Amino acid sequence: DTGVSQDPRHKITKRGQNVTFRCDPISEHNRLYWYRQTLGQGPEFLTYFQNEAQLEKSRLLSDRFSAERPKGSFSTLEIQRTEQGDSAMYLCASSRQGLEQYFGPGTRLTVT
Amino acid sequence: GESVGLHLPTLSVQEGDNSIINCAYSNSASDYFIWYKQESGKGPQFIIDIRSNMDKRQGQRVTVLLNKTVKHLSLQIAATQPGDSAVYFCAENAGNMLTFGGGTRLMVKP
């Protein structure tokens, strides 16, 4: 399978814990995006990378959230001191510059 | 702020009929639009895209129409099949990110 992959697919954590998600983009894609989706809503942009550079961050991305793409390939999204409001599906997408974005299956986070 | 929206939250069609899903956008600077299909528990799946210099684009059983005058986008699905049942999102790109609407659920009756 050469599509976008995400790990884990599901994560249940207690409030206050830190969590980290991983995204592996399509190999020849230089852009990588993170989105958050809550039930019944469309995905909301969080941040994106071009190669290893993080070029844009949404105001939704509070200081508890941090994303990295150290070698311009896979990316991680960390949420520190999770809150119940962080419960959502976290989606990763990748694209060649300026072209359509292909999404992974998402990581569903539940904060109890 | 400006956002993308959809007219109908749920659309129910008979198998074999054509489906039309509508979307209104408000950002006149958007130059690229995409339709995605999302099945339960899965990520959005790319269906078809269109650039703002086009009015119509056709794919396999799908057609996207763009009316820039009234800022309206539509997705037409020919001969709708049970496998088309999903939530459909339109998204606009006015920079480096996609802005999504709230989605339309398409239900196909056998």
Side-chain angles (χ1 to χ4, degrees):
Chain A
D1 187 349
T2 57
V4 178
S5 62
Q6 293 186 245
D7 182 72
R9 295 292 309 277
H10 303 274
K11 179 70 176 178
I12 301 174
T13 191
K14 293 184 177 179
R15 188 178 55 184
Q17 297 295 305
N18 300 342
V19 294
T20 301
F21 310 140
R22 176 179 170 126
C23 171
D24 286 89
I26 295 171
S27 59
E28 62 268 26
H29 287 182
N30 63 342
R31 287 195 175 184
L32 186 149
Y33 308 80
W34 285 100
Y35 290 83
R36 181 173 68 187
Q37 185 177 27
T38 53
L39 196 62
Q41 302 296 316
E44 297 174 293
F45 171 80
L46 292 177
T47 188
Y48 96 95
F49 293 83
Q50 180 162 308
N51 300 314
E52 66 277 6
Q54 187 173 16
L55 297 186
E56 195 158 349
K57 292 193 288 186
S58 163
R59 55 184 166 80
L60 293 175
L61 209 68
S62 77
D63 56 6
R64 295 185 298 105
F65 288 68
S66 62
E68 294 182 344
R69 195 184 184 197
K71 299 181 180 178
S73 56
F74 74 92
S75 176
T76 57
L77 177 68
E78 181 183 16
I79 308 175
Q80 296 182 326
R81 304 181 304 280
T82 52
E83 301 173 355
Q84 288 188 319
D86 297 330
S87 295
M89 176 78 86
Y90 290 85
L91 293 162
C92 175
S94 70
S95 74
R96 272 181 286 207
Q97 191 162 342
L99 300 180
E100 61 265 23
Q101 297 181 25
Y102 291 92
F103 283 81
T107 295
R108 180 166 296 284
L109 173 66
T110 302
V111 182
T112 61
Chain B
E2 295 181 312
S3 63
V4 173
L6 292 169
H7 293 313
L8 297 172
T10 304
L11 176 65
S12 184
V13 300
Q14 201 71 38
E15 181 179 357
D17 287 352
N18 296 335
S19 302
I20 300 176
I21 301 172
N22 296 303
C23 176
Y25 68 95
S26 57
N27 188 347
S28 58
S30 294
D31 59 0
Y32 179 58
F33 304 87
I34 308 177
W35 280 100
Y36 284 94
K37 170 187 179 183
Q38 188 172 27
E39 296 173 286
S40 182
K42 298 183 179 179
Q45 175 188 354
F46 174 90
I47 301 174
I48 191 167
D49 59 358
I50 188 168
R51 297 194 181 276
S52 59
N53 61 353
M54 302 171 68
D55 297 322
K56 179 179 179 179
R57 190 161 189 227
Q58 288 184 296
Q60 187 177 13
R61 280 201 309 118
V62 294
T63 300
V64 55
L65 299 177
L66 176 62
N67 185 330
K68 294 180 289 293
T69 302
V70 295
K71 296 178 185 172
H72 184 267
L73 195 68
S74 68
L75 177 70
Q76 300 178 0
I77 304 173
T80 313
Q81 302 169 359
D84 295 326
S85 294
V87 176
Y88 289 80
F89 294 96
C90 67
E92 61 177 320
N93 189 338
N96 296 307
M97 71 186 83
L98 292 177
T99 300
F100 285 79
T104 293
R105 179 173 299 280
L106 176 64
M107 300 174 62
V108 182
K109 297 178 289 186

